[in-house]
Short mmCIF file of all heavy atoms in Angstrom, two decimals:
data_model
loop_
_atom_site.label_atom_id
_atom_site.label_comp_id
_atom_site.label_asym_id
_atom_site.label_seq_id
_atom_site.Cartn_x
_atom_site.Cartn_y
_atom_site.Cartn_z
N ASN O 1 -7.96 11.74 2.60
CA ASN O 1 -8.70 12.69 3.43
C ASN O 1 -9.75 11.96 4.25
O ASN O 1 -10.09 10.81 3.96
CB ASN O 1 -9.36 13.74 2.55
CG ASN O 1 -8.38 14.56 1.74
OD1 ASN O 1 -7.25 14.82 2.18
ND2 ASN O 1 -8.79 14.98 0.56
N SER O 2 -10.26 12.65 5.27
CA SER O 2 -11.31 12.08 6.13
C SER O 2 -10.95 10.68 6.59
O SER O 2 -11.75 9.74 6.50
CB SER O 2 -12.65 12.06 5.36
OG SER O 2 -13.02 13.36 4.95
N LEU O 3 -9.75 10.54 7.07
CA LEU O 3 -9.25 9.21 7.45
C LEU O 3 -10.04 8.62 8.60
O LEU O 3 -10.50 9.33 9.51
CB LEU O 3 -7.76 9.29 7.80
CG LEU O 3 -6.85 9.36 6.57
CD1 LEU O 3 -5.47 9.89 6.95
CD2 LEU O 3 -6.73 8.00 5.92
N LYS O 4 -10.19 7.30 8.54
CA LYS O 4 -10.93 6.54 9.55
C LYS O 4 -10.00 5.50 10.19
O LYS O 4 -9.03 5.09 9.56
CB LYS O 4 -12.11 5.82 8.89
CG LYS O 4 -13.06 6.72 8.12
CD LYS O 4 -14.13 5.90 7.42
CE LYS O 4 -15.09 6.79 6.64
NZ LYS O 4 -16.14 5.99 5.96
N PRO O 5 -10.32 5.06 11.38
CA PRO O 5 -9.48 4.03 12.01
C PRO O 5 -9.32 2.79 11.13
O PRO O 5 -8.24 2.17 11.13
CB PRO O 5 -10.24 3.71 13.30
CG PRO O 5 -10.93 4.98 13.64
CD PRO O 5 -11.34 5.57 12.33
N GLU O 6 -10.33 2.46 10.36
CA GLU O 6 -10.23 1.27 9.50
C GLU O 6 -9.31 1.48 8.30
O GLU O 6 -9.05 0.54 7.55
CB GLU O 6 -11.63 0.84 9.02
CG GLU O 6 -12.45 1.94 8.39
CD GLU O 6 -13.44 2.55 9.38
OE1 GLU O 6 -13.05 2.82 10.54
OE2 GLU O 6 -14.60 2.79 8.97
N ASP O 7 -8.78 2.68 8.11
CA ASP O 7 -7.78 2.91 7.08
C ASP O 7 -6.37 2.56 7.57
O ASP O 7 -5.41 2.60 6.78
CB ASP O 7 -7.79 4.38 6.63
CG ASP O 7 -9.07 4.79 5.96
OD1 ASP O 7 -9.60 4.00 5.13
OD2 ASP O 7 -9.57 5.90 6.24
N THR O 8 -6.26 2.20 8.82
CA THR O 8 -4.96 1.84 9.39
C THR O 8 -4.36 0.64 8.69
O THR O 8 -5.06 -0.34 8.41
CB THR O 8 -5.10 1.56 10.89
OG1 THR O 8 -5.45 2.77 11.57
CG2 THR O 8 -3.81 1.01 11.49
N GLY O 9 -3.06 0.71 8.42
CA GLY O 9 -2.37 -0.41 7.80
C GLY O 9 -1.06 0.03 7.18
O GLY O 9 -0.71 1.22 7.23
N VAL O 10 -0.38 -0.92 6.60
CA VAL O 10 0.82 -0.62 5.82
C VAL O 10 0.40 -0.44 4.37
O VAL O 10 -0.28 -1.30 3.80
CB VAL O 10 1.88 -1.73 5.95
CG1 VAL O 10 3.12 -1.37 5.13
CG2 VAL O 10 2.25 -1.95 7.41
N TYR O 11 0.80 0.67 3.80
CA TYR O 11 0.43 1.00 2.42
C TYR O 11 1.62 0.74 1.50
O TYR O 11 2.74 1.17 1.78
CB TYR O 11 -0.02 2.45 2.33
CG TYR O 11 -1.42 2.66 2.86
CD1 TYR O 11 -1.70 2.54 4.22
CD2 TYR O 11 -2.48 2.97 2.00
CE1 TYR O 11 -2.99 2.70 4.71
CE2 TYR O 11 -3.76 3.14 2.47
CZ TYR O 11 -4.01 3.00 3.83
OH TYR O 11 -5.30 3.17 4.31
N TYR O 12 1.33 0.04 0.40
CA TYR O 12 2.35 -0.34 -0.56
C TYR O 12 1.98 0.17 -1.94
O TYR O 12 0.82 0.13 -2.33
CB TYR O 12 2.45 -1.86 -0.66
CG TYR O 12 2.80 -2.58 0.62
CD1 TYR O 12 1.80 -3.01 1.49
CD2 TYR O 12 4.12 -2.88 0.94
CE1 TYR O 12 2.10 -3.70 2.65
CE2 TYR O 12 4.45 -3.56 2.10
CZ TYR O 12 3.43 -3.97 2.95
OH TYR O 12 3.75 -4.65 4.11
N CYS O 13 2.97 0.60 -2.69
CA CYS O 13 2.70 0.85 -4.10
C CYS O 13 3.18 -0.33 -4.91
O CYS O 13 4.01 -1.13 -4.47
CB CYS O 13 3.28 2.17 -4.59
SG CYS O 13 5.05 2.28 -4.61
N ASN O 14 2.63 -0.44 -6.10
CA ASN O 14 2.81 -1.65 -6.90
C ASN O 14 2.80 -1.32 -8.38
O ASN O 14 2.09 -0.42 -8.84
CB ASN O 14 1.67 -2.63 -6.59
CG ASN O 14 1.56 -3.76 -7.60
OD1 ASN O 14 0.87 -3.62 -8.61
ND2 ASN O 14 2.20 -4.86 -7.33
N THR O 15 3.59 -2.07 -9.12
CA THR O 15 3.46 -2.09 -10.56
C THR O 15 3.81 -3.49 -11.04
O THR O 15 4.32 -4.32 -10.28
CB THR O 15 4.34 -1.03 -11.24
OG1 THR O 15 3.96 -0.89 -12.61
CG2 THR O 15 5.83 -1.41 -11.17
N GLN O 16 3.49 -3.75 -12.29
CA GLN O 16 3.78 -5.05 -12.88
C GLN O 16 4.62 -4.88 -14.13
O GLN O 16 4.38 -3.99 -14.94
CB GLN O 16 2.49 -5.79 -13.24
CG GLN O 16 1.73 -6.33 -12.06
CD GLN O 16 0.58 -7.23 -12.49
OE1 GLN O 16 0.14 -7.20 -13.64
NE2 GLN O 16 0.07 -8.02 -11.58
N LEU O 17 5.58 -5.78 -14.29
CA LEU O 17 6.41 -5.83 -15.48
C LEU O 17 6.47 -7.28 -15.93
O LEU O 17 6.91 -8.15 -15.18
CB LEU O 17 7.82 -5.31 -15.16
CG LEU O 17 8.86 -5.43 -16.28
CD1 LEU O 17 8.44 -4.61 -17.49
CD2 LEU O 17 10.23 -4.98 -15.79
N LEU O 18 5.96 -7.51 -17.13
CA LEU O 18 5.92 -8.88 -17.68
C LEU O 18 5.27 -9.85 -16.69
O LEU O 18 5.77 -10.94 -16.43
CB LEU O 18 7.34 -9.35 -18.03
CG LEU O 18 8.09 -8.50 -19.07
CD1 LEU O 18 9.50 -9.00 -19.25
CD2 LEU O 18 7.33 -8.48 -20.38
N SER O 19 4.15 -9.42 -16.12
CA SER O 19 3.34 -10.23 -15.19
C SER O 19 4.02 -10.47 -13.85
O SER O 19 3.54 -11.27 -13.05
CB SER O 19 2.95 -11.57 -15.81
OG SER O 19 2.18 -11.36 -16.97
N VAL O 20 5.10 -9.79 -13.59
CA VAL O 20 5.77 -9.89 -12.28
C VAL O 20 5.42 -8.66 -11.47
O VAL O 20 5.56 -7.53 -11.95
CB VAL O 20 7.30 -10.00 -12.45
CG1 VAL O 20 7.99 -9.99 -11.09
CG2 VAL O 20 7.66 -11.25 -13.24
N ASP O 21 4.97 -8.88 -10.23
CA ASP O 21 4.62 -7.78 -9.34
C ASP O 21 5.88 -7.22 -8.67
O ASP O 21 6.75 -7.97 -8.20
CB ASP O 21 3.67 -8.25 -8.25
CG ASP O 21 2.23 -8.32 -8.74
OD1 ASP O 21 1.72 -7.31 -9.23
OD2 ASP O 21 1.63 -9.41 -8.62
N PHE O 22 5.94 -5.91 -8.61
CA PHE O 22 7.00 -5.22 -7.88
C PHE O 22 6.36 -4.38 -6.78
O PHE O 22 5.35 -3.70 -7.02
CB PHE O 22 7.83 -4.35 -8.82
CG PHE O 22 8.67 -5.16 -9.76
CD1 PHE O 22 8.17 -5.54 -11.00
CD2 PHE O 22 9.96 -5.54 -9.42
CE1 PHE O 22 8.93 -6.30 -11.87
CE2 PHE O 22 10.73 -6.29 -10.29
CZ PHE O 22 10.21 -6.68 -11.52
N TRP O 23 6.98 -4.44 -5.60
CA TRP O 23 6.44 -3.77 -4.43
C TRP O 23 7.51 -2.92 -3.77
O TRP O 23 8.69 -3.25 -3.79
CB TRP O 23 5.96 -4.81 -3.40
CG TRP O 23 4.92 -5.75 -3.88
CD1 TRP O 23 5.11 -6.98 -4.44
CD2 TRP O 23 3.51 -5.55 -3.86
NE1 TRP O 23 3.90 -7.56 -4.75
CE2 TRP O 23 2.90 -6.70 -4.41
CE3 TRP O 23 2.68 -4.51 -3.42
CZ2 TRP O 23 1.52 -6.84 -4.54
CZ3 TRP O 23 1.31 -4.65 -3.54
CH2 TRP O 23 0.74 -5.79 -4.10
N GLY O 24 7.05 -1.87 -3.10
CA GLY O 24 7.94 -1.14 -2.22
C GLY O 24 7.96 -1.79 -0.85
O GLY O 24 7.34 -2.84 -0.62
N GLN O 25 8.65 -1.14 0.07
CA GLN O 25 8.80 -1.69 1.43
C GLN O 25 7.59 -1.36 2.30
O GLN O 25 7.42 -1.94 3.38
CB GLN O 25 10.08 -1.15 2.09
CG GLN O 25 9.96 0.25 2.71
CD GLN O 25 9.83 1.37 1.69
OE1 GLN O 25 10.04 1.16 0.48
NE2 GLN O 25 9.51 2.56 2.17
N GLY O 26 6.76 -0.42 1.84
CA GLY O 26 5.56 -0.05 2.58
C GLY O 26 5.79 1.13 3.51
O GLY O 26 6.91 1.41 3.93
N THR O 27 4.70 1.81 3.82
CA THR O 27 4.74 2.92 4.78
C THR O 27 3.52 2.80 5.70
O THR O 27 2.42 2.53 5.24
CB THR O 27 4.77 4.28 4.04
OG1 THR O 27 4.98 5.33 5.00
CG2 THR O 27 3.52 4.55 3.23
N GLN O 28 3.76 2.95 6.99
CA GLN O 28 2.72 2.70 7.99
C GLN O 28 1.81 3.92 8.15
O GLN O 28 2.28 5.04 8.38
CB GLN O 28 3.35 2.37 9.35
CG GLN O 28 2.36 2.18 10.48
CD GLN O 28 1.54 0.91 10.35
OE1 GLN O 28 2.09 -0.16 10.05
NE2 GLN O 28 0.24 1.02 10.56
N VAL O 29 0.52 3.66 8.06
CA VAL O 29 -0.50 4.67 8.34
C VAL O 29 -1.31 4.19 9.53
O VAL O 29 -1.86 3.08 9.50
CB VAL O 29 -1.42 4.90 7.12
CG1 VAL O 29 -2.58 5.82 7.50
CG2 VAL O 29 -0.63 5.47 5.96
N THR O 30 -1.37 5.00 10.57
CA THR O 30 -2.15 4.67 11.75
C THR O 30 -3.13 5.80 12.02
O THR O 30 -2.72 6.95 12.17
CB THR O 30 -1.25 4.45 12.97
OG1 THR O 30 -0.30 3.43 12.70
CG2 THR O 30 -2.08 4.06 14.19
N VAL O 31 -4.41 5.45 12.04
CA VAL O 31 -5.46 6.43 12.30
C VAL O 31 -6.04 6.13 13.67
O VAL O 31 -6.72 5.12 13.86
CB VAL O 31 -6.54 6.39 11.23
CG1 VAL O 31 -7.57 7.51 11.46
CG2 VAL O 31 -5.94 6.51 9.84
#
């Protein structure tokens, strides 16, 4: 909420399994 221009970027979700990072492909947010 109350998004600002500085919130612009590609947003990724993340989790770790046995110290290995897993990432999605990302989704673009432009404010």
Side-chain angles (χ1 to χ4, degrees):
N1 299 328
S2 302
L3 282 161
K4 304 176 180 180
E6 52 262 44
D7 295 318
T8 294
V10 180
Y11 283 69
Y12 300 89
C13 66
N14 166 272
T15 193
Q16 287 189 342
L17 174 62
L18 300 176
S19 299
V20 176
D21 279 305
F22 290 89
W23 302 92
Q25 82 289 349
T27 187
Q28 176 70 46
V29 172
T30 303
V31 185

